[in-house]
Amino acid sequence: MFTLVPSHFFSPEAARQALSEVADLKEDDRVAHLDLPQYDAVLVYTEDGDSVVVDGTPEIYKLLMRLPECPEYNKILCSLAGDRLFLTIAQGKNLLLANSFPVQDFTTAEYFIFLSLKSLQLNPEISTICWRSPLDAEDEMSLYRYFKAVVKL
């Protein structure tokens, strides 16, 4: 579980409360936070569960740090980790979306990607989608049907 809090509203003492306002926390959930100065925000997350923390760093943080590497103005960066799709979308330097979704297969991941793009009124046909996690050839070809290009970061 994670949320982004604007830097000027963030207080380390209130990190747990900020996350509990958007997610159901268990009493023993450990809450941590990381600064995202390029987005003027702080990532507040649980160190276990849906945040998918590997080597002490949440997957969504890794995506947010690499999002500027996407080559187009519409920046779409995804990753599959465990049974979750992590998705970040920006236009230029403006972050529009940072979320994760439960997925049981790649088709479900595509559903959430297209739903997110539609809600942000972004056209996949003129967009490049970037992937941080490994992508097999069949899934890559499926994305090529909808996107201008597929890039592996």
Side-chain angles (χ1 to χ4, degrees), residues 61-94:
Y61 181 80
K62 293 173 185 175
L63 263 65
L64 289 165
M65 296 306 290
R66 305 246 355 233
L67 189 58
E69 297 174 30
C70 293
E72 305 287 332
Y73 178 71
N74 289 338
K75 300 177 182 310
I76 306 162
L77 179 57
C78 304
S79 176
L80 288 170
D83 62 350
R84 298 199 73 79
L85 166 72
F86 291 85
L87 173 63
T88 55
I89 301 173
Q91 281 187 318
K93 293 182 179 185
N94 295 323

Side-chain angles (χ1 to χ4, degrees), residues 18 33 60 78 81 111 126 135 138:
H33 60 88
I60 196 70
C78 304
Y111 168 80
I126 61 169
L135 194 59
E138 183 180 324

